């Protein structure tokens, strides 16, 4: 994560973001109600601040389907992101 007006890479944000990604992964590993196709993750942080408060949201819900199984495709994407 780079703040271009500060020209500083924020390595301190990696762990807080990974914690948020893990929470989303945990939910998808247990829920069997919906499958979400072509969504996005919105990574939010204050680039002007030195704190490590971050937020992560799933956005773009145009293709949500009710299915009674794990959303394996979403899990593959989340697991790849965590690597």
């Amino acid at each position: 994560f780079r703040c271009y007006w500060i020209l500083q890479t924020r390595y301190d944000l990696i762990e807080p973001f990974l914690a948020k990604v893990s929470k989303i992964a945990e939910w998808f590993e247990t829920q069997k109600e919906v499958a979400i196709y072509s969504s996005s993750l919105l990574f939010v942080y204050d680039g002007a601040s030195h704190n490590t408060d971050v937020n992560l949201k799933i956005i773009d819900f145009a293709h949500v389907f009710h299915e009674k199984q794990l959303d394996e495709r979403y899990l593959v994407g989340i697991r790849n992101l965590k690597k």
Side-chain angles (χ1 to χ4, degrees):
F1 300 93
R2 182 175 280 284
C3 302
Y4 288 101
W5 59 91
I6 300 174
L7 297 176
Q8 173 187 354
T9 302
R10 295 289 308 269
Y11 294 107
D12 58 324
L13 299 179
I14 294 172
E15 287 301 320
F17 273 126
L18 283 176
K20 299 281 186 176
V21 169
S22 292
K23 287 204 176 271
I24 291 174
E26 288 173 14
W27 184 77
F28 269 97
E29 288 168 350
T30 60
Q31 72 85 26
K32 295 182 179 179
E33 299 295 321
V34 296
I36 302 174
Y37 298 93
S38 300
S39 70
S40 301
L41 294 175
L42 175 64
F43 292 78
V44 181
Y45 70 98
D46 183 356
S49 170
H50 292 293
N51 68 38
T52 58
D53 295 335
V54 299
N55 210 337
L56 179 63
K57 299 290 183 180
I58 303 170
I59 61 172
D60 302 331
F61 293 96
H63 306 288
V64 176
F65 299 95
H66 294 281
E67 297 184 7
K68 298 293 182 189
Q69 60 188 5
L70 288 177
D71 188 349
E72 291 294 337
R73 292 180 177 140
Y74 203 95
L75 284 170
V76 166
I78 287 288
R79 289 175 183 144
N80 283 334
L81 181 60
K82 288 172 59 176
K83 291 179 184 178

